[in-house]
Amino acid sequence: MNTDKLSSIEYATLVEQSPILIWRADLTMGCNYFNERWLAFTGRTMEQEYGNGWVEGVHAEDLARCMKIYTGSFAERKIFEMEYRLRRADGVFRWLFDRGVPYNGPTGQFAGYIGSCIDVTERVEAQAKLQALQEAEVNTLRELLPVCSWCKKVREDSGYWTKLEAYMSERFSTKFSHGICPECMKKNFPDLDV
């Protein structure tokens, strides 16, 4: 058996059963092929997906951006990569990483695009959670107010140190009066009986 060349049946099996979603578009920018994995993922037929039918499954929030990248890259005949949500057969939207590359026909002329997609939902969701945690941490840090342990001055964003009373008065409608708490009175003035 010659292992150097795949038979057309073996090639078709590889394409159809590959663990990635595969598509092809012709010169009209309409898709004219989807592999078995794509059709199983979407739960739709080749006829439903054909042409621009596949865009019916793209999430409404991603559609304009997705089409801008797709049509813009097609016009320039350049490789593109994008992420968008596509409705799975069970109705759940999943994030896909889609990479399209121009391909040439038998005589070398531009014939359209071939693309592949992988489900990256877990990565996208993990990145969103990480970003939310980072934003929460930054917000917590923004709420910290650096105060000198000795003189109680506040360091402002500009780096200058300002008396606590002046800092608070500038930002809040609070008025200040001064006094001595009972603990400080006993500690600093033990001879006074108040």
Side-chain angles (χ1 to χ4, degrees):
M1 177 178 181
N2 182 356
T3 57
D4 292 340
K5 291 190 176 191
L6 293 175
S7 71
S8 60
I9 293 172
E10 290 171 319
Y11 181 76
T13 301
L14 284 172
V15 172
E16 292 301 325
Q17 296 182 18
S18 176
I20 58 176
L21 312 180
I22 298 174
W23 57 269
R24 182 182 63 202
D26 60 22
L27 293 175
T28 68
M29 289 194 265
C31 289
N32 60 10
Y33 171 79
F34 297 92
N35 72 343
E36 290 175 11
R37 296 288 185 210
W38 178 288
L39 299 175
F41 181 90
T42 62
R44 291 169 47 102
T45 66
M46 185 73 73
E47 291 75 24
Q48 290 172 312
E49 298 290 86
Y50 196 85
N52 290 322
W54 67 274
V55 300
E56 294 173 13
V58 176
H59 195 285
E61 293 176 8
D62 302 332
L63 184 56
R65 177 183 46 81
C66 178
M67 293 309 293
K68 181 178 180 182
I69 293 169
Y70 178 75
T71 57
S73 298
F74 206 103
E76 295 179 24
R77 297 181 183 177
K78 67 178 186 178
I79 295 171
F80 69 83
E81 294 178 347
M82 63 181 167
E83 290 182 2
Y84 57 91
R85 289 165 285 184
L86 187 67
R87 188 174 38 249
R88 195 169 55 187
D90 61 3
V92 174
F93 282 95
R94 302 288 292 179
W95 281 98
L96 296 183
F97 172 77
D98 190 343
R99 186 169 202 269
V101 296
Y103 78 95
N104 296 324
T107 60
Q109 79 284 4
F110 173 68
Y113 270 77
I114 295 175
S116 62
C117 304
I118 57 172
D119 188 330
V120 293
T121 303
E122 285 77 19
R123 179 188 55 78
V124 170
E125 290 175 349
Q127 284 178 327
K129 286 179 185 177
L130 179 60
Q131 184 176 353
L133 288 171
Q134 289 172 335
E135 288 173 4
E137 184 177 357
V138 167
N139 288 336
T140 298
L141 292 173
R142 283 186 183 133
E143 293 174 4
L144 291 177
L145 185 63
V147 178
C148 176
S149 298
W150 296 101
C151 68
K152 306 302 182 216
K153 286 182 182 174
V154 176
R155 189 189 63 186
E156 297 188 52
D157 292 338
S158 63
Y160 292 106
W161 290 88
T162 305
K163 288 187 177 186
L164 179 62
E165 297 86 351
Y167 180 87
M168 298 298 279
S169 293
E170 288 175 12
R171 287 157 181 77
F172 306 102
S173 60
T174 307
K175 304 268 188 261
F176 288 90
S177 67
H178 289 76
I180 299 176
C181 72
E183 289 178 21
C184 289
M185 181 62 84
K186 286 180 185 178
K187 180 180 174 184
N188 293 303
F189 302 101
D191 297 337
L192 293 177
D193 186 22
V194 180

